[in-house]
Amino acid sequence: MRTVGFACTSAEDTLNPFHFDRRNPRPNDVVMEILYCGVCHSDLHWVRNDWGHTPYPAIPGHEIIGRVIETGPDVTRHKIGDIVAVGCMVDSCQNCDQCRKGEEQYCREGQKHPIGMNGVYGGIDVVDNTPNMGGYSKHLVVRQEFALKVPKGLDISKAAPLLCAGITTWSPLRTCQVGPGTRVAVIGLGGLGQMAVKLAVALGAEVTVISRSDKKQQDALAIGADKLLASSNDKAMQAAVNSFDLIIDTIPVEHDITPYLPLLDVDGTFSMVGQIGPLPTTTTLPLVYGRRRITGSLVGGIRETQELLNFCARKNILPDTKTVAMQDINDVFKELEKGDTHYRFVIDMSTLKAD
Ligand code: NDP
Ligand code: ZN
C-alpha cells in the first residue's frame, strides 16, 4: 500500500516527506493508521548513522500508537477500530527459547542481525527482504503478535513513549526486583530517565537523579525523585559512595562510567541502557571490591511491554511530553541533541499530510 513518511537520505540530510510502499497485509497482519509517535534519542542515532549500519532512505520512529484500519483473515487479537501500539520490534522467530519466554528482543534468530532483533527500523522483512521503515509515517503494517493492546483510560496523546522509554527502563527495574526501599539512581534526566524515575517511584523505590548539573533539580523533584545529585559536584559524588542498589545509566554518548561505579553498594547493579557501543577504559576495582555488577538491557519483551502498559493505565503513569508537528522534526532533533529537556517529544501524526 502507498503511504507517506518523513525520511532522510544520508547522515547529513534533514528529514523530509517521502512516499513509499508498505507491504500489502498478509493473513496475520494488522494495518494501523499511526496517530502518535514518540521521538527517541535512538531515532537521532539512527538517522545520523551513529551505529554504522543505517540503510538510506531511513524512516525512524519506534514509539507508535495507532488505530487498526484493516486486519488480515487470520487476525484474532485485534479488530478494526482498536487502539494498538508498536515499539521497537515487529518480528521474531517466535520459536526459540527466548521468544517462548516472551523475550523476543533476545531472539536467537534475531541475533544474526547486528542489533539482536527484527526492528521496526533497522530490521529486514523476512519475507520480502526489504528494510523495515519506522513510525514517522501515516501507516504501519505489522504482524498481530507485535501490536500491543492500549488499555482504555491511557491518554493516547501521551502514551507513545511507554513503547520504548518506558519498557527500556521498566525491564531492568523488574529484572532487579525493585520494590519498596530499593535505592535507585538514574543517570541522565531525558526521555528514558524521566520514565525510569516515574516507574521506580511507582514501585516504591527511593530515587535519585544523577544529572550533569543541578539545572534539572525542580524537574526531578516534580516527577517524584527524592533528590538530584550533580555529577559535576565532586564532594556530593564522594558523599554518595556505597548508596545505591541499582543505577540505570541513560547517557546517550560515549562516557566514562568509572566515577559512577563506587556509588553502588556491595552487590549493586549498574545497568547500561544508554550508549550502545564503545566505552573508554575503566577499571574492575569497584567490581572486585564490592561484588558490583555491570549489565546491559535491550528494550523488553512483548509480554513485559503489555504488563507495563497495564501497570501505567492502572497507576495513571504517563511520561511528561511535548506534542509537536511532523514538519518540526528537524528542530526537535536539534533540541534533543542538546540534552536539555527532561520530557519526551511526541509527534501528532495528524500533522503529516498525505500529499
Ligand atoms: P535523551 O536525549 O532524551 O536523554 C539523555 C539524557 O542524558 C539527557 O537529558 C542528559 O541528562 C544526559 N546527557 C545528554 N548528553 C550528555 C552528555 N554528553 N554527557 C552526559 N550526559 C548527557 O535520550 P533518551 O533518553 O531518548 O535516550 C538515551 C539513550 O538510550 C540513547 O543513547 C538511546 O539510543 C538509548 N536507548 C537504548 C535503548 C535500549 O534498549 N537499551 C532503548 C531506547 C533508547 P542530564 O541533563 O540530566 O545530564
Ligand atoms: Zn527508543
Side-chain angles (χ1 to χ4, degrees):
M1 64 179 292
R2 199 70 181 153
T3 190
V4 61
F6 260 55
C8 64
T9 54
S10 75
E12 292 75 37
D13 194 12
T14 53
L15 290 179
N16 294 293
F18 176 74
H19 293 263
F20 67 109
D21 289 315
R22 293 280 187 197
R23 67 175 185 251
N24 289 323
R26 298 171 189 144
N28 193 38
D29 283 342
V30 297
V31 182
M32 292 164 63
E33 178 196 0
I34 298 178
L35 302 175
Y36 295 97
C37 187
V39 180
C40 179
H41 205 108
S42 298
D43 298 345
L44 188 55
H45 291 309
W46 183 244
V47 300
R48 299 275 162 80
N49 198 23
D50 288 347
W51 298 321
H53 57 92
T54 304
Y56 295 100
I59 299 184
H62 60 202
E63 295 181 337
I64 303 166
I65 294 214
R67 182 184 294 111
V68 176
I69 55 169
E70 195 181 331
T71 57
D74 294 349
V75 171
T76 51
R77 295 180 185 212
H78 312 290
K79 55 183 192 317
I80 291 172
D82 284 357
I83 299 294
V84 293
V86 174
C88 298
M89 296 181 284
V90 286
D91 203 1
S92 74
C93 84
Q94 301 279 286
N95 204 24
C96 68
D97 56 333
Q98 294 301 322
C99 285
R100 278 202 229 110
K101 268 200 294 192
E103 302 242 75
E104 301 89 346
Q105 73 279 29
Y106 304 125
C107 172
R108 306 281 180 193
E109 290 297 312
Q111 287 184 9
K112 291 176 189 161
H113 297 295
I115 57 164
M117 63 179 185
N118 200 332
V120 63
Y121 60 84
I124 299 205
D125 185 81
V126 290
V127 177
D128 61 23
N129 268 321
T130 54
N132 296 337
M133 294 287 187
Y136 295 4
S137 61
K138 264 284 177 230
H139 300 98
L140 184 69
V141 183
V142 63
R143 57 184 292 183
Q144 61 170 332
E145 295 87 346
F146 288 82
L148 293 126
K149 294 175 194 298
V150 177
K152 290 208 167 36
L154 209 53
D155 178 350
I156 62 166
S157 71
K158 288 182 150 294
L162 298 178
L163 277 301
C164 175
I167 184 60
T168 303
T169 50
W170 178 250
S171 192
L173 290 169
R174 297 289 283 163
T175 303
C176 293
Q177 299 177 331
V178 167
T182 314
R183 299 160 301 166
V184 175
V186 177
I187 310 177
L189 190 61
L192 264 61
Q194 60 143 332
M195 280 316 309
V197 171
K198 289 186 181 204
L199 295 170
V201 168
L203 289 168
E206 289 168 22
V207 183
T208 301
V209 168
I210 305 179
S211 192
R212 289 166 291 178
S213 70
D214 55 17
K215 268 200 309 206
K216 294 183 181 172
Q217 169 117 11
Q218 285 316 314
D219 302 322
L221 300 185
I223 59 172
D226 297 293
K227 51 183 184 294
L228 180 140
L229 168 60
S231 56
S232 50
N233 182 338
D234 291 340
K235 227 168 138 190
M237 288 289 276
Q238 192 51 44
V241 163
N242 290 324
S243 60
F244 303 114
D245 304 303
L246 170 66
I247 299 179
I248 299 182
D249 179 354
T250 76
I251 296 175
V253 294
E254 190 171 334
H255 61 286
D256 187 5
I257 61 172
T258 314
Y260 302 107
L261 295 177
L263 306 188
L264 287 170
D265 206 347
V266 174
D267 280 327
T269 301
F270 192 82
S271 178
M272 305 218 54
V273 296
Q275 157 68 354
I276 300 173
L279 286 178
T281 315
T282 182
T283 165
T284 62
L285 276 176
L287 306 182
V288 173
Y289 288 85
R291 205 162 51 198
R292 301 172 173 102
R293 287 176 284 266
I294 303 179
T295 69
S297 192
L298 180 65
V299 289
I302 294 294
R303 192 180 303 154
E304 200 172 35
T305 309
Q306 190 66 62
E307 172 193 85
L308 168 70
L309 291 175
N310 299 346
F311 180 83
C312 289
R314 211 166 54 243
K315 300 258 183 177
N316 198 22
I317 298 170
L318 286 166
D320 287 6
T321 58
K322 183 173 177 188
T323 309
V324 292
M326 187 70 255
Q327 64 269 20
D328 295 336
I329 188 62
N330 296 306
D331 292 333
V332 166
F333 273 176
K334 281 188 205 144
E335 278 295 306
L336 197 59
E337 201 155 30
K338 283 194 234 150
D340 287 344
T341 48
H342 78 279
Y343 48 80
R344 192 60 134 192
F345 292 101
V346 172
I347 306 164
D348 174 352
M349 276 304 159
S350 66
T351 60
L352 172 57
K353 302 297 172 210
D355 45 5

